[in-house]
Amino acid sequence: TWGAWSVLGPVVAEQELGGAAAWGAINAALGVGALLGALGAIRQLPRRPVLAAALTGFTQVPALALLALGAPAPAIALGALAFGAGMMFGNAVWESALQRHVRPDALSRDGALHASSSDSRHQTGPIRRPFSPGSAPETPIGGPEARR
C-alpha cells in the first residue's frame, strides 16, 4: 500500500489534481496526521497493543480509496491525515510492545523477522494472543527467563 501511495499518488496528482502542489499538500496532511498519531501513542496505551497496532492498518483505506476514485485534493488530504495518524500510532504502539515483551537479547532476531516480512505486525499469531500489560503470554517471547 505504501508503494501505491508513493508511486501512483504523484502520477494521479499530476494528471488529475493539478500537480506537485496538490501532492505536497496531501503529504503535508499525512505528516500532520503522523504527528497527531505519535502524540496519541504517547498519551494512550491500548489494553491490547498488538491488536491496536494491527487495526491501524485500516486507516490507510480512506486515503487510498479517495486517491483511486479521483476525489478532490482536500478530501484526499483528510484521508491522508487519518492515514498518517494510524500509521504512526500503530508503529509507536507496536515498537513499545516489542520493547516491553521481547527479551533484550532477542530483539535483533525479532527485528530481522519483522524487516524480512511484508508487515509482520499483521500476522495472525499476535492477534490471537495479544500482549497487554495484564495478560502476558504463558512463556514470553525469548523463553521463560524473559519474564521480569
Side-chain angles (χ1 to χ4, degrees), residues 19 21 44 61 66 70-71 75 82-83 86 109 116-117 121 123 129-131 136 139:
Q44 177 68 36
V61 172
L66 289 165
F83 184 1
R109 276 179 284 164
S116 66
S117 69
R121 69 184 175 155
Q123 302 288 332
R129 184 153 192 137
F131 301 125
T139 304

Side-chain angles (χ1 to χ4, degrees), residues 92-140:
V93 168
W94 170 256
E95 293 296 336
S96 65
L98 284 180
Q99 295 297 317
R100 284 192 311 276
H101 297 288
V102 177
R103 226 177 51 207
D105 64 313
L107 277 172
S108 65
R109 276 179 284 164
D110 181 83
L113 288 171
H114 179 79
S116 66
S117 69
S118 62
D119 193 358
S120 65
R121 69 184 175 155
H122 292 127
Q123 302 288 332
T124 58
I127 294 171
R128 285 194 312 259
R129 184 153 192 137
F131 301 125
S132 65
S135 64
E138 299 283 329
T139 304

Side-chain angles (χ1 to χ4, degrees), residues 8-100:
L8 296 177
V11 173
V12 171
E14 182 66 35
Q15 293 176 355
E16 298 180 20
L17 301 174
W23 189 241
I26 290 167
N27 275 303
L30 185 130
V32 169
L35 178 62
L36 294 174
L39 292 172
I42 290 170
R43 308 270 300 147
Q44 177 68 36
L45 176 65
R47 190 173 60 81
R48 297 176 67 180
V50 175
L51 178 61
L55 292 176
T56 61
F58 292 108
T59 62
Q60 62 193 321
V61 172
L64 292 169
L66 289 165
L67 186 65
L69 293 171
I76 299 170
L78 284 175
L81 184 86
F83 184 1
M87 176 177 58
M88 195 54 64
F89 181 85
N91 185 54
V93 168
W94 170 256
E95 293 296 336
S96 65
L98 284 180
Q99 295 297 317
R100 284 192 311 276

